[in-house]
Amino acid sequence: MIKIGVLALQGAVAEHIRSIELAGAQGVVIKRTEQLQDIQGIIIPGGESTTIGKLMRTYGFIDALHQFSAENKPIFGTCAGLIVIAKEITGQPEAHLGLMDITVARNAFGRQRESFETDLPIKGIDEKVRAVFIRAPLIEKVGPNVEVLSTYNGQIVAAQQGHLLAASFHPELTDDYRLHRYFLDMVKARQA
Ligand SMILES: NC(=O)CC[C@H](N)C(=O)O
């Protein structure tokens, strides 16, 4: 069975494990870099990107995940996780992992809309997906190799670049696990 890790330094871990298991893979809670050997893909959850980034530096995950990505193993960043994998963060001098060719704006939906839910059309998924946004980031700019998978009011909220997948919202907070299945399919496509 395919094993997919969820980076468990801070943030929404248990919910992602549940969704990935509903999608048909084994979910693994990742707390140490050595564990990356045993998994075929990893999810970086929502939470607080500054905190996750700091803990990643402390525990050696920056180099370890650069290596993981260089082996073409899929990485899925949701909400804060999207910020963590982005090459550029507007208004911040430094990125965290800096893997995906996107520029992101943190907390981009303003005060009244800090948290909301909506049904989003996502490329590659048949019917709309229920999306929960919580102090969500937006993708302001994408590089030439990035495919936009979803927009909300004309703004980019999901994208893919090869083995990298990013969503502004929290797909783990609903019973709809189709985006996790989409990620699992990306992982499967890179096996064998
Ligand atoms: N729900 C979330 O992951 C919020 C992300 C958070 N606002 C950040 O900037 O890191």
Side-chain angles (χ1 to χ4, degrees), residues 105-172:
R106 296 178 63 191
N107 305 319
F109 286 93
R111 275 210 139 168
Q112 283 90 41
R113 305 232 69 187
E114 271 199 344
S115 297
F116 61 99
E117 292 187 32
T118 188
D119 293 312
L120 279 180
I122 298 181
K123 214 170 171 175
I125 297 180
D126 276 350
E127 275 161 39
K128 287 183 180 176
V129 170
R130 188 80 181 157
V132 181
F133 290 79
I134 304 169
R135 292 170 48 81
L138 261 185
I139 302 174
E140 291 184 318
K141 237 172 44 191
V142 300
N145 299 321
V146 177
E147 184 180 16
V148 173
L149 298 182
S150 186
T151 60
Y152 174 74
N153 287 345
Q155 314 259 42
I156 303 168
V157 292
Q160 181 178 351
Q161 179 183 0
H163 66 296
L164 305 171
L165 180 65
S168 296
F169 50 92
H170 286 262
E172 79 286 7

Side-chain angles (χ1 to χ4, degrees), residues 10 28-29 32 43 48 50 63 74 88 94 105 142 147 149-150 158-159 165 172 185:
Q10 191 251 353
V28 184
V29 174
R32 290 173 293 105
I43 297 172
E48 181 58 44
T50 313
D63 286 348
E88 273 190 60
E94 275 179 51
V142 300
E147 184 180 16
L149 298 182
S150 186
L165 180 65
E172 79 286 7
D185 288 341

